[in-house]
Amino acid sequence: MITLALSKGRIFDDSLPLLAAAGIDVLDDPEKSRKLILATNRPDLRVVLVRASDVPTYVQHGGADLGVAGLDVLLEHGAEDGAGGTGNTGLYRPLDLCIARCRMSVATREDFDYASAVRQGSRIRVATKYTQAARQHFAAKGVHVDLIKLYGSMELAPLTGLADAIVDLVSTGSTLKANRLVEVERIMDISARLVVNAAALKIKREPLRALIDAFEQAVGAQR
Ligand code: PRT
Ligand code: MG
């Protein structure tokens, strides 16, 4: 049996066409059923639904053989940045699926002069869920920051005086706009990656390789 970990919402929705191109149909709709284990048209393949940020954990510890997770989630989990390679997390990251795309950016209130705060070397208070990526970004730029860890609704932080800036994911920009925040710096482009358990890749080499190859072809065809 091969177990694929997905999260409900955009990762699941955006993975469906890739799965279909690989000949895989998921037989339940997660929006309609409360099942956490979904059967597919392939008796040897099942999908488990987990929280987006739990996908790397499931794959790393063998609760799933492979999974789909955003680069943002992988970076916070501590997976290596480069493609391929196992790093020290037991995750093998072979494939950019080019889905669930967005960017990680710095945003502030309209009346906060980020450029001059950076220029003057002021300490900037930054609220974010993405502390690893943020720490690395500001360290590389030589900007002094006090990071404030949040788990959601980052947009509220600059509006309430909790922070000067946030690091968050931006897609259409409408969430920032609705909260009168402006994107002042783009940190990196984000997309979802297929991650594979390194041990499973050895033990179930044939079926997993075939699946990864099928995904790779599907991604290429969608480009
Ligand atoms: O909700 P939960 O805590 O379980 O997990 P999650 O929020 O990480 O899951 P989900 O399904 O929301 O996101 C899964 C993955 O989708 C993320 O890890 C990203 O890699 C990717 N993704 C792509 C996004 C977005 N686009 C996105 N726009 N994840 C979140 N957003 C949020 C963003 O944080 C902000 O609040 O959408 C808002 C901005 O969107 P715009 O269109 O208004 O700019
Ligand atoms: Mg969410």
Side-chain angles (χ1 to χ4, degrees):
M1 177 63 78
I2 293 173
T3 302
L4 169 67
L6 297 176
S7 55
K8 251 166 99 160
R10 63 189 114 218
I11 295 282
F12 183 88
D13 298 344
D14 289 4
S15 294
L16 278 187
L18 290 177
L19 289 168
I24 299 156
D25 291 324
V26 182
L27 302 180
D28 295 289
D29 179 352
E31 300 304 330
K32 288 184 184 139
S33 114
R34 301 181 75 99
K35 282 188 203 167
L36 296 176
I37 300 181
L38 312 179
T40 73
N41 62 330
R42 274 179 47 176
D44 66 330
L45 178 70
R46 63 180 184 175
V47 169
V48 292
L49 293 177
V50 304
R51 190 82 186 252
S53 44
D54 288 336
V55 168
T57 307
Y58 267 81
V59 175
Q60 181 180 355
H61 297 287
D65 298 305
L66 69 180
V68 178
L71 177 60
D72 51 311
V73 166
L74 291 172
L75 291 174
E76 290 313 299
H77 183 78
E80 262 188 322
D81 194 16
T86 32
N88 51 16
T89 61
L91 288 177
Y92 176 71
R93 175 154 26 120
L95 195 57
D96 183 352
L97 297 175
C98 302
I99 58 170
R101 298 175 88 139
C102 57
R103 54 195 186 270
M104 188 180 287
S105 293
V106 182
T108 66
R109 273 168 53 154
E110 294 165 343
D111 58 4
F112 182 79
D113 192 346
Y114 177 72
S116 85
V118 168
R119 219 179 310 115
Q120 287 165 16
S122 326
R123 283 197 89 82
I124 303 173
R125 291 169 307 149
V126 179
T128 186
K129 185 171 159 183
Y130 309 102
T131 47
Q132 305 273 8
R135 182 173 294 113
Q136 226 180 349
H137 171 72
F138 292 113
K141 277 188 57 137
V143 175
H144 301 289
V145 291
D146 289 319
L147 290 176
I148 302 166
K149 171 84 182 184
L150 288 179
Y151 293 89
S153 303
M154 263 88 80
E155 299 83 11
L156 200 53
L159 305 178
T160 54
L162 177 70
D164 305 310
I166 59 172
V167 167
D168 197 4
L169 303 180
V170 183
S171 160
T172 60
S174 58
T175 304
L176 291 181
K177 205 169 170 198
N179 291 291
R180 305 190 64 189
L181 299 175
V182 286
E183 190 176 1
V184 292
E185 193 165 73
R186 193 182 179 118
I187 298 179
M188 69 177 94
D189 289 327
I190 299 286
S191 57
R193 314 289 155 116
L194 185 69
V195 287
V196 185
N197 176 281
L201 193 56
K202 290 199 183 103
I203 298 157
K204 307 179 188 176
R205 181 151 196 104
E206 293 305 314
L208 281 178
R209 244 347 326 164
L211 202 55
I212 295 165
D213 288 348
F215 274 122
E216 197 157 12
Q217 286 207 348
V219 175
Q222 294 214 338
R223 250 198 267 265

